[in-house]
Amino acid sequence: MDRELYLPKSWTEDSDRCRTARIPESKSFETKPELARAMVRRALDSALPIAWVTADAAYGQEWHFRRMLEEAGVGYVLAVPKSQQVNSPAGSWRIDHVLTGAPAEAWERISCGDGANGPRVYDWAAVKLPTIEGSDPAHYRWVLARRSLARPEEIAYYLAFAPADATVSELVRVAGARWAIEECFQAAKNECGLDQYEVRRYVGWYRHITLAMLAHAFLAAMTAQALEKGAAETVRAASFPSSWQKSDGSWTLPIPLRPAPVTRAPALLVPLAPTPPGHRPPLPLPAPHAPRSGESRTTTDLKQRQPTRL
């Protein structure tokens, strides 16, 4: 729903290059987290119902980004590196040390959403951090960890800010939403050429990205409508008898499982078409005549090939 072009310092510090590319003179260097904060502010100012924000570690490790969301009262589940510092009234620790020594029952196997090959299941552990004086009483901060089933040594970490009634399953769902976001980007690249731009002007890039995003949104809406229409047209199977009975330690049905007799309507007679007339012998064609003086052979042939009316 929004986009920003990242310009490195090598561009913003070269005024001639920026002038050639039609970059506004007011445009200065901004980091990617700063661009993200600007887009999130625009989203929060819009009419969209936004409840959660999720992002990878490049944005999650930025204190200003997290603080902005907390001040706006928006929940987040942000990936962070294992070296991320976690602050509490008792001190500060690396996030990978917070869950060191956690008991086995602290890890819960939860799916964070469906993927290309079915549910994406991991072991998750979550701990609620102590509240800091002056913090929002309606929200809590969390430390979240995701452990791979096939490679238990691979653990990803998250910092979360959630309403007081939020559950661990809800935090896991928000963390897993990033997979759908990445799939959205990939679909826009494959189907709408989101990344296939060859532009030399600042405005040209925004035009291409905007039109590609609009085309992808249109395709997504059409796909959703087609799925809803297909679901509405699907004929549901007859419900199976539900009045089960238990006898001699086994479950049985009180009615025999025999198909109900099918009552067919009497066949209708269809009148046949009238009998076609009998075969008629072919009529002889008129004898060809010799061409007149000045008449070409082609004209004579065309006259001879004219159909005879019966």
Side-chain angles (χ1 to χ4, degrees), residues 54-57 76-81 84 86 95 99 112 122 124-125 127 129 142-147 155-161 171-172 174-176 178:
T54 183
D56 59 27
Y76 63 73
V77 180
L78 305 174
V80 294
Q84 177 70 38
V86 178
I95 194 170
L99 295 173
C112 59
Y122 297 91
W124 297 83
V127 58
L129 297 176
W142 293 73
V143 168
L144 192 66
R146 185 195 70 192
R147 186 174 65 188
I155 302 178
Y157 297 95
Y158 302 83
L159 285 177
F161 178 76
L171 298 180
V172 169
V174 176
R178 277 182 50 208

PDB file of all heavy atoms in Angstrom, residues 54-57 76-81 84 86 95 99 112 122 124-125 127 129 142-147 155-161 171-172 174-176 178:
ATOM      1  N   THR A  54       4.832  -6.029  11.911  1.00  0.00           N
ATOM      2  CA  THR A  54       5.891  -7.024  11.972  1.00  0.00           C
ATOM      3  C   THR A  54       6.941  -6.681  10.934  1.00  0.00           C
ATOM      4  O   THR A  54       6.632  -6.082   9.896  1.00  0.00           O
ATOM      5  CB  THR A  54       5.337  -8.454  11.734  1.00  0.00           C
ATOM      6  OG1 THR A  54       6.395  -9.399  11.881  1.00  0.00           O
ATOM      7  CG2 THR A  54       4.725  -8.582  10.353  1.00  0.00           C
ATOM      8  N   ALA A  55       8.174  -7.021  11.221  1.00  0.00           N
ATOM      9  CA  ALA A  55       9.278  -6.682  10.324  1.00  0.00           C
ATOM     10  C   ALA A  55      10.469  -7.550  10.670  1.00  0.00           C
ATOM     11  O   ALA A  55      10.496  -8.232  11.708  1.00  0.00           O
ATOM     12  CB  ALA A  55       9.635  -5.197  10.437  1.00  0.00           C
ATOM     13  N   ASP A  56      11.479  -7.525   9.785  1.00  0.00           N
ATOM     14  CA  ASP A  56      12.674  -8.316  10.038  1.00  0.00           C
ATOM     15  C   ASP A  56      13.625  -7.550  10.948  1.00  0.00           C
ATOM     16  O   ASP A  56      13.343  -6.443  11.418  1.00  0.00           O
ATOM     17  CB  ASP A  56      13.344  -8.719   8.723  1.00  0.00           C
ATOM     18  CG  ASP A  56      13.738  -7.523   7.877  1.00  0.00           C
ATOM     19  OD1 ASP A  56      13.987  -6.441   8.444  1.00  0.00           O
ATOM     20  OD2 ASP A  56      13.800  -7.666   6.640  1.00  0.00           O
ATOM     21  N   ALA A  57      14.798  -8.160  11.189  1.00  0.00           N
ATOM     22  CA  ALA A  57      15.724  -7.615  12.179  1.00  0.00           C
ATOM     23  C   ALA A  57      16.301  -6.263  11.785  1.00  0.00           C
ATOM     24  O   ALA A  57      16.724  -5.499  12.657  1.00  0.00           O
ATOM     25  CB  ALA A  57      16.853  -8.615  12.432  1.00  0.00           C
ATOM     26  N   TYR A  76       3.358  -4.917  18.150  1.00  0.00           N
ATOM     27  CA  TYR A  76       4.356  -5.340  17.165  1.00  0.00           C
ATOM     28  C   TYR A  76       5.013  -6.641  17.605  1.00  0.00           C
ATOM     29  O   TYR A  76       5.066  -6.966  18.801  1.00  0.00           O
ATOM     30  CB  TYR A  76       5.413  -4.261  16.934  1.00  0.00           C
ATOM     31  CG  TYR A  76       6.272  -3.892  18.127  1.00  0.00           C
ATOM     32  CD1 TYR A  76       7.270  -4.752  18.607  1.00  0.00           C
ATOM     33  CD2 TYR A  76       6.110  -2.664  18.768  1.00  0.00           C
ATOM     34  CE1 TYR A  76       8.066  -4.406  19.682  1.00  0.00           C
ATOM     35  CE2 TYR A  76       6.901  -2.314  19.856  1.00  0.00           C
ATOM     36  CZ  TYR A  76       7.876  -3.182  20.313  1.00  0.00           C
ATOM     37  OH  TYR A  76       8.667  -2.843  21.386  1.00  0.00           O
ATOM     38  N   VAL A  77       5.494  -7.385  16.618  1.00  0.00           N
ATOM     39  CA  VAL A  77       6.352  -8.551  16.816  1.00  0.00           C
ATOM     40  C   VAL A  77       7.473  -8.398  15.799  1.00  0.00           C
ATOM     41  O   VAL A  77       7.279  -8.620  14.603  1.00  0.00           O
ATOM     42  CB  VAL A  77       5.592  -9.873  16.606  1.00  0.00           C
ATOM     43  CG1 VAL A  77       6.534 -11.061  16.832  1.00  0.00           C
ATOM     44  CG2 VAL A  77       4.398  -9.972  17.538  1.00  0.00           C
ATOM     45  N   LEU A  78       8.652  -7.986  16.272  1.00  0.00           N
ATOM     46  CA  LEU A  78       9.754  -7.621  15.396  1.00  0.00           C
ATOM     47  C   LEU A  78      10.935  -8.561  15.617  1.00  0.00           C
ATOM     48  O   LEU A  78      11.346  -8.791  16.764  1.00  0.00           O
ATOM     49  CB  LEU A  78      10.184  -6.174  15.668  1.00  0.00           C
ATOM     50  CG  LEU A  78       9.084  -5.106  15.568  1.00  0.00           C
ATOM     51  CD1 LEU A  78       9.628  -3.755  15.999  1.00  0.00           C
ATOM     52  CD2 LEU A  78       8.530  -5.043  14.156  1.00  0.00           C
ATOM     53  N   ALA A  79      11.462  -9.084  14.534  1.00  0.00           N
ATOM     54  CA  ALA A  79      12.654  -9.928  14.627  1.00  0.00           C
ATOM     55  C   ALA A  79      13.848  -9.072  15.037  1.00  0.00           C
ATOM     56  O   ALA A  79      13.960  -7.903  14.640  1.00  0.00           O
ATOM     57  CB  ALA A  79      12.918 -10.616  13.295  1.00  0.00           C
ATOM     58  N   VAL A  80      14.739  -9.656  15.832  1.00  0.00           N
ATOM     59  CA  VAL A  80      15.949  -8.967  16.284  1.00  0.00           C
ATOM     60  C   VAL A  80      17.108  -9.946  16.246  1.00  0.00           C
ATOM     61  O   VAL A  80      16.905 -11.166  16.301  1.00  0.00           O
ATOM     62  CB  VAL A  80      15.779  -8.402  17.721  1.00  0.00           C
ATOM     63  CG1 VAL A  80      14.737  -7.294  17.756  1.00  0.00           C
ATOM     64  CG2 VAL A  80      15.412  -9.511  18.697  1.00  0.00           C
ATOM     65  N   PRO A  81      18.341  -9.461  16.155  1.00  0.00           N
ATOM     66  CA  PRO A  81      19.498 -10.365  16.212  1.00  0.00           C
ATOM     67  C   PRO A  81      19.673 -10.928  17.619  1.00  0.00           C
ATOM     68  O   PRO A  81      19.159 -10.371  18.597  1.00  0.00           O
ATOM     69  CB  PRO A  81      20.661  -9.460  15.806  1.00  0.00           C
ATOM     70  CG  PRO A  81      20.208  -8.082  16.132  1.00  0.00           C
ATOM     71  CD  PRO A  81      18.730  -8.059  15.913  1.00  0.00           C
ATOM     72  N   GLN A  84      20.776  -8.680  20.505  1.00  0.00           N
ATOM     73  CA  GLN A  84      19.918  -7.573  20.930  1.00  0.00           C
ATOM     74  C   GLN A  84      19.885  -7.479  22.456  1.00  0.00           C
ATOM     75  O   GLN A  84      19.714  -8.481  23.161  1.00  0.00           O
ATOM     76  CB  GLN A  84      18.502  -7.769  20.388  1.00  0.00           C
ATOM     77  CG  GLN A  84      17.498  -6.737  20.812  1.00  0.00           C
ATOM     78  CD  GLN A  84      17.769  -5.386  20.166  1.00  0.00           C
ATOM     79  OE1 GLN A  84      18.154  -5.316  19.026  1.00  0.00           O
ATOM     80  NE2 GLN A  84      17.576  -4.325  20.936  1.00  0.00           N
ATOM     81  N   VAL A  86      18.171  -6.543  25.961  1.00  0.00           N
ATOM     82  CA  VAL A  86      16.835  -6.457  26.541  1.00  0.00           C
ATOM     83  C   VAL A  86      16.965  -5.773  27.888  1.00  0.00           C
ATOM     84  O   VAL A  86      17.706  -6.233  28.772  1.00  0.00           O
ATOM     85  CB  VAL A  86      16.208  -7.854  26.702  1.00  0.00           C
ATOM     86  CG1 VAL A  86      14.834  -7.754  27.364  1.00  0.00           C
ATOM     87  CG2 VAL A  86      16.102  -8.539  25.348  1.00  0.00           C
ATOM     88  N   ILE A  95      19.456 -10.954  24.349  1.00  0.00           N
ATOM     89  CA  ILE A  95      18.180 -11.654  24.238  1.00  0.00           C
ATOM     90  C   ILE A  95      18.356 -13.169  24.210  1.00  0.00           C
ATOM     91  O   ILE A  95      17.502 -13.909  24.697  1.00  0.00           O
ATOM     92  CB  ILE A  95      17.405 -11.168  22.987  1.00  0.00           C
ATOM     93  CG1 ILE A  95      15.943 -11.625  23.049  1.00  0.00           C
ATOM     94  CG2 ILE A  95      18.080 -11.630  21.703  1.00  0.00           C
ATOM     95  CD1 ILE A  95      15.057 -11.009  21.995  1.00  0.00           C
ATOM     96  N   LEU A  99      16.443 -16.563  27.624  1.00  0.00           N
ATOM     97  CA  LEU A  99      15.782 -17.862  27.641  1.00  0.00           C
ATOM     98  C   LEU A  99      16.747 -19.011  27.900  1.00  0.00           C
ATOM     99  O   LEU A  99      16.363 -20.174  27.793  1.00  0.00           O
ATOM    100  CB  LEU A  99      15.051 -18.093  26.318  1.00  0.00           C
ATOM    101  CG  LEU A  99      13.889 -17.134  26.040  1.00  0.00           C
ATOM    102  CD1 LEU A  99      13.352 -17.339  24.644  1.00  0.00           C
ATOM    103  CD2 LEU A  99      12.788 -17.315  27.072  1.00  0.00           C
ATOM    104  N   CYS A 112       2.806 -21.311  12.882  1.00  0.00           N
ATOM    105  CA  CYS A 112       2.718 -19.861  12.684  1.00  0.00           C
ATOM    106  C   CYS A 112       2.020 -19.514  11.376  1.00  0.00           C
ATOM    107  O   CYS A 112       2.161 -18.404  10.860  1.00  0.00           O
ATOM    108  CB  CYS A 112       4.115 -19.235  12.719  1.00  0.00           C
ATOM    109  SG  CYS A 112       5.271 -19.874  11.485  1.00  0.00           S
ATOM    110  N   TYR A 122       6.906 -24.791  14.496  1.00  0.00           N
ATOM    111  CA  TYR A 122       8.169 -24.595  15.223  1.00  0.00           C
ATOM    112  C   TYR A 122       7.891 -24.766  16.708  1.00  0.00           C
ATOM    113  O   TYR A 122       6.738 -24.798  17.148  1.00  0.00           O
ATOM    114  CB  TYR A 122       8.740 -23.196  14.977  1.00  0.00           C
ATOM    115  CG  TYR A 122       9.112 -22.896  13.540  1.00  0.00           C
ATOM    116  CD1 TYR A 122       8.181 -22.320  12.671  1.00  0.00           C
ATOM    117  CD2 TYR A 122      10.395 -23.154  13.053  1.00  0.00           C
ATOM    118  CE1 TYR A 122       8.523 -22.028  11.361  1.00  0.00           C
ATOM    119  CE2 TYR A 122      10.742 -22.848  11.752  1.00  0.00           C
ATOM    120  CZ  TYR A 122       9.803 -22.297  10.907  1.00  0.00           C
ATOM    121  OH  TYR A 122      10.141 -22.010   9.608  1.00  0.00           O
ATOM    122  N   TRP A 124       8.128 -22.814  20.133  1.00  0.00           N
ATOM    123  CA  TRP A 124       8.135 -21.416  20.532  1.00  0.00           C
ATOM    124  C   TRP A 124       8.213 -21.313  22.052  1.00  0.00           C
ATOM    125  O   TRP A 124       7.596 -22.098  22.776  1.00  0.00           O
ATOM    126  CB  TRP A 124       6.873 -20.704  20.055  1.00  0.00           C
ATOM    127  CG  TRP A 124       6.723 -20.649  18.570  1.00  0.00           C
ATOM    128  CD1 TRP A 124       6.228 -21.618  17.751  1.00  0.00           C
ATOM    129  CD2 TRP A 124       7.081 -19.556  17.712  1.00  0.00           C
ATOM    130  NE1 TRP A 124       6.246 -21.208  16.442  1.00  0.00           N
ATOM    131  CE2 TRP A 124       6.770 -19.951  16.388  1.00  0.00           C
ATOM    132  CE3 TRP A 124       7.615 -18.298  17.937  1.00  0.00           C
ATOM    133  CZ2 TRP A 124       6.980 -19.118  15.298  1.00  0.00           C
ATOM    134  CZ3 TRP A 124       7.834 -17.461  16.856  1.00  0.00           C
ATOM    135  CH2 TRP A 124       7.517 -17.866  15.556  1.00  0.00           C
ATOM    136  N   ALA A 125       8.963 -20.322  22.500  1.00  0.00           N
ATOM    137  CA  ALA A 125       9.023 -19.988  23.914  1.00  0.00           C
ATOM    138  C   ALA A 125       8.825 -18.490  24.055  1.00  0.00           C
ATOM    139  O   ALA A 125       9.362 -17.715  23.256  1.00  0.00           O
ATOM    140  CB  ALA A 125      10.352 -20.416  24.530  1.00  0.00           C
ATOM    141  N   VAL A 127       8.344 -15.183  27.040  1.00  0.00           N
ATOM    142  CA  VAL A 127       8.400 -14.732  28.418  1.00  0.00           C
ATOM    143  C   VAL A 127       8.004 -13.263  28.445  1.00  0.00           C
ATOM    144  O   VAL A 127       8.425 -12.469  27.606  1.00  0.00           O
ATOM    145  CB  VAL A 127       9.803 -14.937  29.028  1.00  0.00           C
ATOM    146  CG1 VAL A 127      10.865 -14.209  28.224  1.00  0.00           C
ATOM    147  CG2 VAL A 127       9.830 -14.489  30.478  1.00  0.00           C
ATOM    148  N   LEU A 129       8.138  -9.629  29.935  1.00  0.00           N
ATOM    149  CA  LEU A 129       9.130  -8.838  30.650  1.00  0.00           C
ATOM    150  C   LEU A 129       8.476  -8.026  31.759  1.00  0.00           C
ATOM    151  O   LEU A 129       7.294  -7.641  31.644  1.00  0.00           O
ATOM    152  CB  LEU A 129       9.859  -7.899  29.683  1.00  0.00           C
ATOM    153  CG  LEU A 129      10.673  -8.571  28.576  1.00  0.00           C
ATOM    154  CD1 LEU A 129      11.243  -7.516  27.639  1.00  0.00           C
ATOM    155  CD2 LEU A 129      11.789  -9.424  29.160  1.00  0.00           C
ATOM    156  N   TRP A 142       7.330  -8.430  25.443  1.00  0.00           N
ATOM    157  CA  TRP A 142       7.619  -9.862  25.452  1.00  0.00           C
ATOM    158  C   TRP A 142       8.957 -10.125  24.776  1.00  0.00           C
ATOM    159  O   TRP A 142       9.401  -9.360  23.927  1.00  0.00           O
ATOM    160  CB  TRP A 142       6.546 -10.642  24.687  1.00  0.00           C
ATOM    161  CG  TRP A 142       5.173 -10.652  25.282  1.00  0.00           C
ATOM    162  CD1 TRP A 142       4.278  -9.624  25.305  1.00  0.00           C
ATOM    163  CD2 TRP A 142       4.527 -11.754  25.916  1.00  0.00           C
ATOM    164  NE1 TRP A 142       3.108 -10.003  25.907  1.00  0.00           N
ATOM    165  CE2 TRP A 142       3.233 -11.316  26.293  1.00  0.00           C
ATOM    166  CE3 TRP A 142       4.896 -13.065  26.196  1.00  0.00           C
ATOM    167  CZ2 TRP A 142       2.329 -12.154  26.929  1.00  0.00           C
ATOM    168  CZ3 TRP A 142       3.991 -13.900  26.834  1.00  0.00           C
ATOM    169  CH2 TRP A 142       2.726 -13.447  27.209  1.00  0.00           C
ATOM    170  N   VAL A 143       9.554 -11.255  25.149  1.00  0.00           N
ATOM    171  CA  VAL A 143      10.664 -11.854  24.411  1.00  0.00           C
ATOM    172  C   VAL A 143      10.155 -13.170  23.851  1.00  0.00           C
ATOM    173  O   VAL A 143       9.581 -13.991  24.581  1.00  0.00           O
ATOM    174  CB  VAL A 143      11.891 -12.088  25.309  1.00  0.00           C
ATOM    175  CG1 VAL A 143      12.913 -12.974  24.599  1.00  0.00           C
ATOM    176  CG2 VAL A 143      12.526 -10.755  25.676  1.00  0.00           C
ATOM    177  N   LEU A 144      10.341 -13.352  22.556  1.00  0.00           N
ATOM    178  CA  LEU A 144       9.824 -14.522  21.859  1.00  0.00           C
ATOM    179  C   LEU A 144      10.969 -15.221  21.136  1.00  0.00           C
ATOM    180  O   LEU A 144      11.836 -14.558  20.566  1.00  0.00           O
ATOM    181  CB  LEU A 144       8.746 -14.094  20.863  1.00  0.00           C
ATOM    182  CG  LEU A 144       7.852 -15.152  20.218  1.00  0.00           C
ATOM    183  CD1 LEU A 144       6.972 -15.809  21.269  1.00  0.00           C
ATOM    184  CD2 LEU A 144       6.991 -14.524  19.132  1.00  0.00           C
ATOM    185  N   ALA A 145      10.972 -16.549  21.180  1.00  0.00           N
ATOM    186  CA  ALA A 145      12.015 -17.333  20.519  1.00  0.00           C
ATOM    187  C   ALA A 145      11.371 -18.427  19.681  1.00  0.00           C
ATOM    188  O   ALA A 145      10.387 -19.050  20.100  1.00  0.00           O
ATOM    189  CB  ALA A 145      12.973 -17.945  21.529  1.00  0.00           C
ATOM    190  N   ARG A 146      11.929 -18.659  18.512  1.00  0.00           N
ATOM    191  CA  ARG A 146      11.432 -19.700  17.590  1.00  0.00           C
ATOM    192  C   ARG A 146      12.564 -20.686  17.306  1.00  0.00           C
ATOM    193  O   ARG A 146      13.633 -20.308  16.846  1.00  0.00           O
ATOM    194  CB  ARG A 146      10.972 -19.058  16.276  1.00  0.00           C
ATOM    195  CG  ARG A 146      10.335 -20.025  15.294  1.00  0.00           C
ATOM    196  CD  ARG A 146      10.257 -19.401  13.921  1.00  0.00           C
ATOM    197  NE  ARG A 146      11.587 -19.273  13.331  1.00  0.00           N
ATOM    198  CZ  ARG A 146      11.850 -18.554  12.234  1.00  0.00           C
ATOM    199  NH1 ARG A 146      10.898 -17.864  11.658  1.00  0.00           N
ATOM    200  NH2 ARG A 146      13.072 -18.501  11.757  1.00  0.00           N
ATOM    201  N   ARG A 147      12.318 -21.960  17.582  1.00  0.00           N
ATOM    202  CA  ARG A 147      13.341 -22.993  17.416  1.00  0.00           C
ATOM    203  C   ARG A 147      12.931 -23.979  16.325  1.00  0.00           C
ATOM    204  O   ARG A 147      11.796 -24.443  16.280  1.00  0.00           O
ATOM    205  CB  ARG A 147      13.554 -23.749  18.734  1.00  0.00           C
ATOM    206  CG  ARG A 147      14.697 -24.736  18.721  1.00  0.00           C
ATOM    207  CD  ARG A 147      14.907 -25.305  20.127  1.00  0.00           C
ATOM    208  NE  ARG A 147      13.758 -26.096  20.558  1.00  0.00           N
ATOM    209  CZ  ARG A 147      13.611 -26.577  21.790  1.00  0.00           C
ATOM    210  NH1 ARG A 147      14.532 -26.302  22.718  1.00  0.00           N
ATOM    211  NH2 ARG A 147      12.547 -27.297  22.111  1.00  0.00           N
ATOM    212  N   ILE A 155      17.858 -20.857  16.348  1.00  0.00           N
ATOM    213  CA  ILE A 155      16.833 -20.156  17.126  1.00  0.00           C
ATOM    214  C   ILE A 155      16.763 -18.708  16.650  1.00  0.00           C
ATOM    215  O   ILE A 155      17.795 -18.034  16.546  1.00  0.00           O
ATOM    216  CB  ILE A 155      17.126 -20.204  18.634  1.00  0.00           C
ATOM    217  CG1 ILE A 155      17.223 -21.665  19.107  1.00  0.00           C
ATOM    218  CG2 ILE A 155      16.048 -19.472  19.425  1.00  0.00           C
ATOM    219  CD1 ILE A 155      17.562 -21.795  20.588  1.00  0.00           C
ATOM    220  N   ALA A 156      15.576 -18.249  16.347  1.00  0.00           N
ATOM    221  CA  ALA A 156      15.334 -16.851  15.967  1.00  0.00           C
ATOM    222  C   ALA A 156      14.650 -16.147  17.127  1.00  0.00           C
ATOM    223  O   ALA A 156      13.867 -16.752  17.872  1.00  0.00           O
ATOM    224  CB  ALA A 156      14.470 -16.783  14.712  1.00  0.00           C
ATOM    225  N   TYR A 157      14.924 -14.846  17.264  1.00  0.00           N
ATOM    226  CA  TYR A 157      14.435 -14.100  18.418  1.00  0.00           C
ATOM    227  C   TYR A 157      13.596 -12.906  17.958  1.00  0.00           C
ATOM    228  O   TYR A 157      13.833 -12.329  16.898  1.00  0.00           O
ATOM    229  CB  TYR A 157      15.607 -13.618  19.271  1.00  0.00           C
ATOM    230  CG  TYR A 157      16.413 -14.748  19.864  1.00  0.00           C
ATOM    231  CD1 TYR A 157      17.562 -15.210  19.214  1.00  0.00           C
ATOM    232  CD2 TYR A 157      16.030 -15.361  21.051  1.00  0.00           C
ATOM    233  CE1 TYR A 157      18.294 -16.255  19.740  1.00  0.00           C
ATOM    234  CE2 TYR A 157      16.765 -16.406  21.583  1.00  0.00           C
ATOM    235  CZ  TYR A 157      17.891 -16.848  20.928  1.00  0.00           C
ATOM    236  OH  TYR A 157      18.614 -17.891  21.450  1.00  0.00           O
ATOM    237  N   TYR A 158      12.636 -12.535  18.831  1.00  0.00           N
ATOM    238  CA  TYR A 158      11.724 -11.437  18.544  1.00  0.00           C
ATOM    239  C   TYR A 158      11.513 -10.613  19.809  1.00  0.00           C
ATOM    240  O   TYR A 158      11.546 -11.143  20.929  1.00  0.00           O
ATOM    241  CB  TYR A 158      10.356 -11.949  18.073  1.00  0.00           C
ATOM    242  CG  TYR A 158      10.377 -12.823  16.852  1.00  0.00           C
ATOM    243  CD1 TYR A 158      10.660 -14.181  16.956  1.00  0.00           C
ATOM    244  CD2 TYR A 158      10.089 -12.304  15.587  1.00  0.00           C
ATOM    245  CE1 TYR A 158      10.675 -14.993  15.829  1.00  0.00           C
ATOM    246  CE2 TYR A 158      10.092 -13.110  14.470  1.00  0.00           C
ATOM    247  CZ  TYR A 158      10.392 -14.450  14.593  1.00  0.00           C
ATOM    248  OH  TYR A 158      10.405 -15.255  13.488  1.00  0.00           O
ATOM    249  N   LEU A 159      11.277  -9.331  19.621  1.00  0.00           N
ATOM    250  CA  LEU A 159      10.758  -8.460  20.667  1.00  0.00           C
ATOM    251  C   LEU A 159       9.314  -8.133  20.315  1.00  0.00           C
ATOM    252  O   LEU A 159       9.003  -7.848  19.151  1.00  0.00           O
ATOM    253  CB  LEU A 159      11.573  -7.176  20.773  1.00  0.00           C
ATOM    254  CG  LEU A 159      12.952  -7.292  21.430  1.00  0.00           C
ATOM    255  CD1 LEU A 159      13.668  -5.957  21.397  1.00  0.00           C
ATOM    256  CD2 LEU A 159      12.838  -7.797  22.864  1.00  0.00           C
ATOM    257  N   ALA A 160       8.438  -8.198  21.302  1.00  0.00           N
ATOM    258  CA  ALA A 160       7.016  -7.982  21.055  1.00  0.00           C
ATOM    259  C   ALA A 160       6.470  -6.954  22.033  1.00  0.00           C
ATOM    260  O   ALA A 160       6.949  -6.811  23.163  1.00  0.00           O
ATOM    261  CB  ALA A 160       6.245  -9.293  21.169  1.00  0.00           C
ATOM    262  N   PHE A 161       5.459  -6.249  21.562  1.00  0.00           N
ATOM    263  CA  PHE A 161       4.703  -5.274  22.355  1.00  0.00           C
ATOM    264  C   PHE A 161       3.245  -5.568  22.051  1.00  0.00           C
ATOM    265  O   PHE A 161       2.805  -5.443  20.902  1.00  0.00           O
ATOM    266  CB  PHE A 161       5.096  -3.857  21.962  1.00  0.00           C
ATOM    267  CG  PHE A 161       4.337  -2.788  22.690  1.00  0.00           C
ATOM    268  CD1 PHE A 161       4.634  -2.477  24.008  1.00  0.00           C
ATOM    269  CD2 PHE A 161       3.330  -2.066  22.057  1.00  0.00           C
ATOM    270  CE1 PHE A 161       3.932  -1.471  24.692  1.00  0.00           C
ATOM    271  CE2 PHE A 161       2.627  -1.064  22.721  1.00  0.00           C
ATOM    272  CZ  PHE A 161       2.938  -0.767  24.045  1.00  0.00           C
ATOM    273  N   LEU A 171       0.815 -13.906  19.258  1.00  0.00           N
ATOM    274  CA  LEU A 171       2.138 -13.378  18.934  1.00  0.00           C
ATOM    275  C   LEU A 171       2.804 -14.219  17.858  1.00  0.00           C
ATOM    276  O   LEU A 171       3.446 -13.694  16.939  1.00  0.00           O
ATOM    277  CB  LEU A 171       3.013 -13.343  20.188  1.00  0.00           C
ATOM    278  CG  LEU A 171       2.538 -12.457  21.345  1.00  0.00           C
ATOM    279  CD1 LEU A 171       3.507 -12.544  22.506  1.00  0.00           C
ATOM    280  CD2 LEU A 171       2.363 -11.020  20.897  1.00  0.00           C
ATOM    281  N   VAL A 172       2.638 -15.532  17.939  1.00  0.00           N
ATOM    282  CA  VAL A 172       3.217 -16.430  16.937  1.00  0.00           C
ATOM    283  C   VAL A 172       2.571 -16.183  15.580  1.00  0.00           C
ATOM    284  O   VAL A 172       3.244 -16.179  14.543  1.00  0.00           O
ATOM    285  CB  VAL A 172       3.036 -17.896  17.387  1.00  0.00           C
ATOM    286  CG1 VAL A 172       3.380 -18.855  16.258  1.00  0.00           C
ATOM    287  CG2 VAL A 172       3.902 -18.176  18.603  1.00  0.00           C
ATOM    288  N   VAL A 174       1.311 -13.390  14.443  1.00  0.00           N
ATOM    289  CA  VAL A 174       1.816 -12.134  13.881  1.00  0.00           C
ATOM    290  C   VAL A 174       3.232 -12.329  13.357  1.00  0.00           C
ATOM    291  O   VAL A 174       3.581 -11.840  12.271  1.00  0.00           O
ATOM    292  CB  VAL A 174       1.755 -11.022  14.940  1.00  0.00           C
ATOM    293  CG1 VAL A 174       2.371  -9.742  14.399  1.00  0.00           C
ATOM    294  CG2 VAL A 174       0.317 -10.774  15.367  1.00  0.00           C
ATOM    295  N   ALA A 175       4.068 -13.040  14.099  1.00  0.00           N
ATOM    296  CA  ALA A 175       5.433 -13.288  13.638  1.00  0.00           C
ATOM    297  C   ALA A 175       5.436 -14.072  12.328  1.00  0.00           C
ATOM    298  O   ALA A 175       6.257 -13.817  11.442  1.00  0.00           O
ATOM    299  CB  ALA A 175       6.216 -14.046  14.712  1.00  0.00           C
ATOM    300  N   GLY A 176       4.511 -15.019  12.188  1.00  0.00           N
ATOM    301  CA  GLY A 176       4.448 -15.814  10.964  1.00  0.00           C
ATOM    302  C   GLY A 176       3.858 -15.091   9.780  1.00  0.00           C
ATOM    303  O   GLY A 176       3.941 -15.572   8.648  1.00  0.00           O
ATOM    304  N   ARG A 178       4.940 -12.576   8.333  1.00  0.00           N
ATOM    305  CA  ARG A 178       5.978 -12.105   7.417  1.00  0.00           C
ATOM    306  C   ARG A 178       6.115 -13.016   6.202  1.00  0.00           C
ATOM    307  O   ARG A 178       6.492 -12.561   5.123  1.00  0.00           O
ATOM    308  CB  ARG A 178       7.316 -12.011   8.152  1.00  0.00           C
ATOM    309  CG  ARG A 178       7.501 -10.726   8.946  1.00  0.00           C
ATOM    310  CD  ARG A 178       8.852 -10.685   9.599  1.00  0.00           C
ATOM    311  NE  ARG A 178       9.915 -10.992   8.661  1.00  0.00           N
ATOM    312  CZ  ARG A 178      11.073 -11.544   9.009  1.00  0.00           C
ATOM    313  NH1 ARG A 178      11.308 -11.848  10.265  1.00  0.00           N
ATOM    314  NH2 ARG A 178      11.987 -11.785   8.096  1.00  0.00           N
TER     315      ARG A 178
END
